[in-house]
Amino acid sequence: MTQRKKKVPSTSRLNAELLAMVRIASTILQYTELDDILAAITRELSQLIDFDRSSIALLDAERRQLTLQHIHKNGDGDERIGEGRPIPLDESTLIGWVALNKRAVVRTDVAADSRFTEVVSEEKLRSDMVVPLIVHGNVIGTLNAGSYRPDGFDDTDLEKLVNCGNIASGAIEHALLLREA
């Protein structure tokens, strides 16, 4: 396996990324309704990472599955493809694997990875990233981004997605708790 070089961002780029993360946090915290929070996460994420499609899968522990929620698609097309789709909480899909193993993954060539059944195969994504959403050590879901280009993401993009997921996890859990109350 070849080792990819990690890009070293300039100070101005780091400042821009930091400001984007602050904007994401402040935007997300404006909302208490889950749907509004999920929409804000994926919308603001598109300002930080170049992707074609993003989504959030939330855990339904009783059913031992995740459910694909709020899909954001950049550009033209139906951005709701796959929304509401159940995803088994097992290692048959990348999203299930990430939720079970609590580890972020970036795939530069989806077609070359035969380990997983693709959740939204009709979208024909060529590269993707999935990060777990964790609160108090427990997974509540995953944050997902995909590209129609192979090699659409690198380790820097994955790091940004992980950071965004860390920010988003608390806001999502808060909204879920409010919904239960």
Side-chain angles (χ1 to χ4, degrees):
M1 186 185 291
T2 57
Q3 192 81 333
R4 289 183 299 160
K5 277 190 169 179
K6 190 172 181 178
K7 294 183 222 173
V8 179
S10 67
T11 302
S12 61
R13 183 176 173 119
L14 286 173
N15 287 338
E17 289 173 8
L18 179 60
L19 287 173
M21 285 294 177
V22 169
R23 187 180 66 245
I24 288 170
S26 63
T27 300
I28 291 169
L29 294 174
Q30 292 177 32
Y31 302 104
T32 56
E33 291 294 320
L34 181 61
D35 289 338
D36 295 334
I37 290 169
L38 299 180
I41 292 166
T42 56
R43 183 181 60 247
E44 293 298 325
L45 184 60
S46 70
Q47 303 301 310
L48 186 60
I49 300 171
D50 182 23
F51 62 82
D52 294 304
R53 179 182 175 86
S54 70
S55 63
I56 296 169
L58 294 180
L59 180 65
D60 181 342
E62 287 180 18
R63 294 186 182 160
R64 270 201 61 74
Q65 71 181 27
L66 296 116
T67 303
L68 205 54
Q69 307 251 339
H70 193 77
I71 295 170
H72 178 88
K73 187 170 181 179
N74 287 336
D76 295 332
D78 182 7
E79 63 179 59
R80 301 233 181 251
I81 292 173
E83 196 162 281
R85 188 168 292 172
I87 304 163
L89 185 59
D90 61 27
E91 296 191 354
S92 66
T93 66
L94 179 60
I95 291 171
W97 188 94
V98 166
L100 285 173
N101 291 283
K102 298 180 182 178
R103 290 185 38 212
V105 173
V106 60
R107 294 189 297 176
T108 58
D109 186 355
V110 170
D113 188 353
S114 61
R115 297 175 296 166
F116 306 109
T117 302
E118 295 310 312
V119 173
V120 191
S121 59
E122 63 269 30
E123 278 293 307
K124 302 201 182 325
L125 297 173
R126 304 283 307 277
S127 55
D128 60 4
M129 302 184 290
V130 179
V131 302
L133 299 173
I134 301 173
V135 176
H136 306 298
N138 299 312
V139 171
I140 62 168
T142 63
L143 179 56
N144 321 299
S147 174
Y148 297 128
R149 299 175 322 271
D151 295 316
F153 305 112
D154 60 23
D155 292 337
T156 302
D157 294 319
L158 184 62
E159 187 176 327
K160 291 176 197 174
L161 193 66
V162 166
N163 290 335
C164 187
N166 290 339
I167 293 168
S169 294
I172 292 170
E173 185 199 34
H174 181 72
L176 289 171
L177 290 172
L178 287 176
R179 184 185 266 184
E180 290 174 7

